[in-house]
Amino acid sequence: MNYVFDILPPLLQGTGVTLRVFFITLVLSVPLGLALALMRISRFKLVSGLVNGYIWLMRGTPLMLQMLFIYFALPFVPVIGIRLPDFPAAIVAFVLNYAAYFAEIFRAGIQSIDRGQYEGARVLGLTYAQTMRRIVLPQVIKRILPPISNETITLVKDTSLIYVLAMNDLLRAARGIVQRDFSTTPFVVAGAFYLIMTLVLTYGFQRLEKKYAVYDE
């Protein structure tokens, strides 16, 4: 037990990096995903086509490859030539990737709403923005909570991919201790940390589902 307490400081430090990547990605990718979803269902074919191509690209290539491209290859792209440090590069890759997945979730939720509700809102004199905010989005949020929950939990686990950029996240910290001490205990403790994080998220989303269940009544 003393050994576990001895290895906690570096693991907690790594957990801090993991949580920073998680929260920043979530805060930025959800609104971006909603914006992309609205553009995806836009009547403007050019906008819809460009967003559709972007979503196809982000969902069709591995997140790790996207991170490596942004960190190593982006500086050599003509005209752009941007060199990002490891943490911003990871954030950009995660946000762009998860925004694509969230966009498809939002799109499916919005298109699941009966068209009659849009027509009824128009009769009442509501604008498109008011219709989305007051009528459509509250119902959409309730319907998309399960897939959003799954993606959010997946995000927690995907943060371990940042080890390819030599960032000292939870998994990299655990692996370093394992290689130093020839003990698998750090992996067990790291696994417990991931389980606790996913447990908190699962509980939170279950509470949200109960809150929005009022729309079933």
Side-chain angles (χ1 to χ4, degrees):
M1 199 64 183
N2 289 333
Y3 177 72
V4 173
F5 285 116
D6 289 339
I7 65 176
L8 278 181
L11 292 180
L12 289 173
Q13 184 177 6
T15 302
V17 176
T18 294
L19 290 175
R20 283 175 62 199
V21 173
F22 170 77
F23 283 115
I24 295 175
T25 300
L26 197 62
V27 168
L28 297 179
S29 62
V30 170
L32 178 57
L34 177 58
L36 290 171
L38 295 175
M39 289 188 286
R40 173 75 172 79
I41 61 177
S42 170
R43 296 179 180 179
F44 298 100
K45 298 297 183 182
L46 178 60
V47 173
S48 177
L50 289 174
V51 173
N52 189 40
Y54 167 80
I55 292 174
W56 168 76
L57 178 64
M58 291 294 104
R59 297 176 68 197
T61 54
L63 174 56
M64 184 182 296
L65 177 61
Q66 295 165 16
M67 271 196 299
L68 293 174
F69 178 85
I70 291 173
Y71 187 69
F72 292 107
L74 197 59
F76 301 101
V77 175
V79 182
I80 302 178
I82 300 176
R83 183 179 298 276
L84 296 174
D86 51 6
F87 189 82
I91 293 298
V92 170
F94 270 83
V95 170
L96 293 179
N97 180 275
Y98 270 84
Y101 284 92
F102 286 136
E104 282 298 275
I105 293 173
F106 279 116
R107 178 195 61 78
I110 293 172
Q111 292 183 331
S112 71
I113 304 300
D114 185 82
R115 297 301 303 176
Q117 298 195 38
Y118 291 92
E119 296 171 1
R122 191 180 301 113
V123 170
L124 293 173
L126 297 179
T127 65
Y128 179 77
Q130 290 173 327
T131 302
M132 293 297 294
R133 185 176 70 254
R134 298 180 182 179
I135 298 176
V136 176
L137 287 182
Q139 299 178 73
V140 168
I141 292 174
K142 189 269 176 184
R143 296 186 183 189
I144 67 173
L145 276 176
I148 287 287
S149 173
N150 289 336
E151 284 299 321
T152 304
I153 291 173
T154 300
L155 173 58
V156 172
K157 295 178 288 185
D158 276 353
T159 55
S160 62
L161 295 176
I162 63 177
Y163 84 90
V164 299
L165 302 184
M167 294 176 60
N168 196 34
D169 68 309
L170 173 58
L171 186 60
R172 184 178 178 85
R175 187 178 63 174
I177 300 173
V178 168
Q179 293 174 338
R180 182 195 67 192
D181 298 341
F182 299 100
S183 171
T184 58
T185 301
F187 282 151
V188 176
V189 178
F193 280 19
Y194 281 112
L195 286 173
I196 292 172
M197 287 185 281
T198 56
L199 178 63
V200 171
L201 288 172
T202 300
Y203 175 76
F205 276 104
Q206 287 176 346
R207 292 292 300 272
L208 282 175
E209 289 182 28
K210 291 181 180 179
K211 176 182 178 180
Y212 282 95
V214 66
Y215 292 103
D216 288 335
E217 299 176 359

